[in-house]
Amino acid sequence: MLKVAIITLMAFLLLAAICAGANPCDGQGQDFECVSDGCPDDCDSDMFECTGSLANDDLDCDHVDLGEGNVGRDVGVVLVLFVFLALASAGGIGGGGIIIPMLFVIGDFPSYYAVPLSVTSIVAGSIVRFLMQVTRHHPNPAVSHRPLINFQMVVILLPMALAGTVIGVLLNSISPSWLIIAIIFIVLSYTSVKTLKKGRALRKKELEAANSGSKDGSIVELVDLDCTADDDKEPVHTAGPQAGLRLDDVLKNEKTNDILAKEAKFPWFYIVLTFSELAGLVLLNLIKGGRGNSIAGVDCGTGEYWGVVASSFIYLILCSVLGYFIVKKDFDAKTDSNYRFVEGDIDFSGNNIIKYPLFAIVAGFLAGFLGIGGGMVLGPLLLQLGMIPMVSSATTSYMTLFTSTSSFMQFLVLDRVPFDYGAVLFGMALVASAVGQVVLNSYIRRTGKNSIIAFILAGIISLATVLLVVTGGISIADDARAGKSFGFRPLCD
């Protein structure tokens, strides 16, 4: 009944918002050329106005400022996105796949503005989730001293995810809408199916655990990853609290205690490290600039411009190498001790520690190119790697803060973020994300059903896929009727 009620509410809000902004010319507001000299009457939507100079023959239809068009549509955007962003926050993602089509349908925004506004909302939601989750602990009582966020996974994935956003934003700035929409559809269709299957598997485990008397089926202890054979000839202690133990076991116990003490501390090291990586990239983006707004006077498209882009990649590769050594040292110390791994812990042995960053660069690229924050790719990925839902959600949220902030700063220097709409959506996303987190945590504490996170994630992604197909088809058809070019745009114009 709860699921039916939520779906009904979302459908009602969506229908009401569309009806509130109904206009007979809707769907034609993304034609950016005025068709005659009758400016501003020739713009095809009440959400657009004719701008420019008739004398200079540069008249264009551009989206109106907040409150200057159909106010019903403006209100509809805020109300509908509030509901969807609260649900996305519960799933640990930014919700870009929902935000973008809502901005298409209700706000009549072209993708040129919709993607940067989507990223703006995602940044706000990520900030809230970080502040609410950074002091929380792992749900498994056996390792409740650990932070909820898996910072080792963040250190491995984040640099390459940020590198992906650099590529993604550059390609978004030159790509036609049809290409962006097509890739969104392919990516979200695949991830929604995979996430739904994972949710069903988690729910089955919870039911089995309930039948056996355990409250949470996702929490079970795994075997130790250290498979070193014991040496029967090792000396043993004959006195003290560790009497009867071999010397090797005593040393391992001491190592384990050191590791546990380190895990129990507030993760200042990882937080400072990851924010420092982001700060370095933001500085390089400000130096690079976009359209005449570089702090170093770098012109877009010049050799200096591409030199800064290359420097960004070199910087992030060095950060990735640093993360590799940090995590490898930490994992090797655990396997060399009597440390007990639990379900959901990530195996960083062998080639895995090299393979994971490759996944991250794809997720970062999609975050920048599609404006989806990366969470719709990273969330399902971490679930598939075996991370339990609550930890996956928190870890995804933390990384989304960095990928979305990186994308946001790059859109900002390219002058792609409308300030008025951006400020309203930022504030709304702050509140919606807090509501989503509070409701989710209350539900999980009461029921112990972690699988709800996977189902919310799959539902949001599936709905985003359907909406993007519909809105994308309408947008492409409108562009075709308007005779717009379907080719790539210049980067620096």
Side-chain angles (χ1 to χ4, degrees):
M1 289 300 294
L2 177 61
K3 295 178 182 178
V4 173
I6 291 175
I7 293 172
T8 304
L9 175 62
M10 291 190 297
F12 174 77
L13 286 172
L14 178 58
L15 179 61
I18 293 175
C19 291
N23 185 290
C25 296
D26 285 353
Q28 302 178 26
Q30 295 173 22
D31 177 7
F32 274 76
E33 294 184 1
C34 301
V35 294
S36 71
D37 295 341
C39 187
D41 297 330
D42 292 323
C43 293
D44 297 323
S45 169
D46 54 5
M47 297 302 287
F48 281 74
E49 62 182 356
C50 203
T51 61
S53 170
L54 180 61
N56 296 331
D57 194 28
D58 63 350
L59 296 174
D60 290 303
C61 281
D62 201 0
H63 201 280
V64 298
D65 292 334
L66 179 67
E68 294 185 3
N70 189 318
V71 177
R73 284 188 166 212
D74 289 338
V75 174
V77 166
V78 173
L79 291 177
V80 172
L81 287 185
F82 183 91
V83 174
F84 286 117
L85 283 172
L87 288 171
S89 176
I93 60 175
I98 292 291
I99 300 171
I100 293 173
M102 290 298 99
L103 292 173
F104 282 162
V105 173
I106 307 173
D108 209 3
F109 284 95
S111 61
Y112 185 85
Y113 290 135
V115 172
L117 286 174
S118 166
V119 171
T120 302
S121 301
I122 293 169
V123 169
S126 299
I127 292 172
V128 170
R129 291 193 297 275
F130 165 67
L131 294 176
M132 296 183 70
Q133 292 172 342
V134 70
T135 57
R136 290 180 181 161
H137 296 280
H138 199 287
N140 188 337
V143 289
S144 59
H145 62 282
R146 292 189 201 167
L148 179 62
I149 299 169
N150 188 324
F151 284 100
Q152 289 76 24
M153 199 63 173
V154 172
V155 168
I156 282 292
L157 297 183
L158 182 60
M160 289 296 95
L162 291 175
T165 66
V166 175
I167 304 172
V169 170
L170 288 174
L171 288 180
N172 174 275
S173 299
I174 66 174
S175 297
S177 297
W178 65 264
L179 179 60
I180 296 173
I181 292 168
I183 295 178
I184 288 178
F185 171 71
I186 294 171
V187 171
L188 298 190
S189 296
Y190 175 78
T191 55
S192 62
V193 172
K194 296 290 287 185
T195 306
L196 181 59
K197 290 181 178 179
K198 186 65 176 181
R200 288 176 175 172
L202 290 170
R203 182 57 185 148
K204 181 180 178 182
K205 184 181 294 184
E206 288 172 350
L207 292 174
E208 291 173 350
N211 293 332
S212 65
S214 174
K215 183 179 180 181
D216 190 345
S218 67
I219 306 298
V220 295
E221 190 171 10
L222 294 183
V223 296
D224 199 322
L225 295 180
D226 181 17
C227 299
T228 305
D230 290 340
D231 184 355
D232 293 334
K233 296 183 180 180
E234 188 74 27
V236 299
H237 272 223
T238 58
Q242 304 192 81
L245 294 180
R246 294 179 296 108
L247 179 59
D248 181 60
D249 286 331
V250 172
L251 295 175
K252 286 185 176 182
N253 285 341
E254 292 176 353
K255 290 181 181 179
T256 302
N257 291 334
D258 290 340
I259 293 171
L260 296 178
K262 182 180 177 181
E263 286 184 335
K265 294 180 180 179
F266 189 79
W268 284 116
F269 172 77
Y270 292 107
I271 292 174
V272 171
L273 176 63
T274 50
F275 273 91
S276 298
E277 292 175 352
L278 176 64
L281 182 60
V282 168
L283 178 60
L284 287 168
N285 286 333
L286 292 175
I287 294 173
K288 178 185 68 177
R291 294 170 180 168
N293 50 9
S294 164
I295 62 174
V298 175
D299 293 326
C300 181
T302 62
E304 292 86 352
Y305 179 90
W306 293 112
V308 177
V309 172
S311 299
S312 300
F313 280 103
I314 295 172
Y315 166 72
L316 291 170
I317 289 173
L318 292 175
C319 290
S320 183
V321 172
L322 175 62
Y324 168 85
F325 284 111
I326 291 173
V327 174
K328 188 174 187 303
K329 179 181 178 182
D330 179 75
F331 186 77
D332 288 346
K334 290 178 180 178
T335 55
D336 289 340
S337 68
N338 289 328
Y339 187 87
R340 299 295 294 174
F341 293 88
V342 297
E343 183 172 3
D345 285 346
I346 301 299
D347 183 3
F348 291 109
S349 62
N351 293 327
N352 290 335
I353 198 170
I354 300 175
K355 180 173 61 178
Y356 297 149
L358 300 180
F359 297 146
I361 197 168
V362 174
F365 166 77
L366 295 173
F369 183 67
L370 308 178
I372 61 176
M376 288 192 175
V377 179
L378 287 171
L381 170 63
L382 295 181
L383 288 175
Q384 292 300 317
L385 291 176
M387 194 175 286
I388 64 173
M390 285 191 70
V391 177
S392 168
S393 175
T395 305
T396 300
S397 295
Y398 187 70
M399 284 192 287
T400 300
L401 170 61
F402 295 94
T403 56
S404 59
T405 300
S406 174
S407 298
F408 172 75
M409 293 301 300
Q410 292 172 76
F411 282 127
L412 202 61
V413 299
L414 289 170
D415 196 23
R416 293 273 304 276
V417 183
F419 175 78
D420 48 359
Y421 279 99
V424 170
L425 292 181
F426 187 92
M428 179 272 299
L430 289 174
V431 179
S433 297
V435 171
Q437 282 292 299
V438 170
V439 172
L440 172 73
N441 292 325
S442 175
Y443 177 82
I444 292 179
R445 281 197 302 267
R446 192 171 65 254
T447 65
K449 296 178 181 177
N450 282 279
S451 60
I452 187 66
I453 296 175
F455 284 121
I456 290 174
L457 187 58
I460 289 289
I461 296 174
S462 299
L463 181 59
T465 305
V466 173
L467 289 173
L468 285 166
V469 170
V470 175
T471 58
I474 293 173
S475 176
I476 292 171
D478 289 341
D479 288 348
R481 284 196 297 268
K484 292 182 64 176
S485 170
F486 282 82
F488 288 84
R489 300 185 294 264
L491 174 65
C492 302
D493 286 355

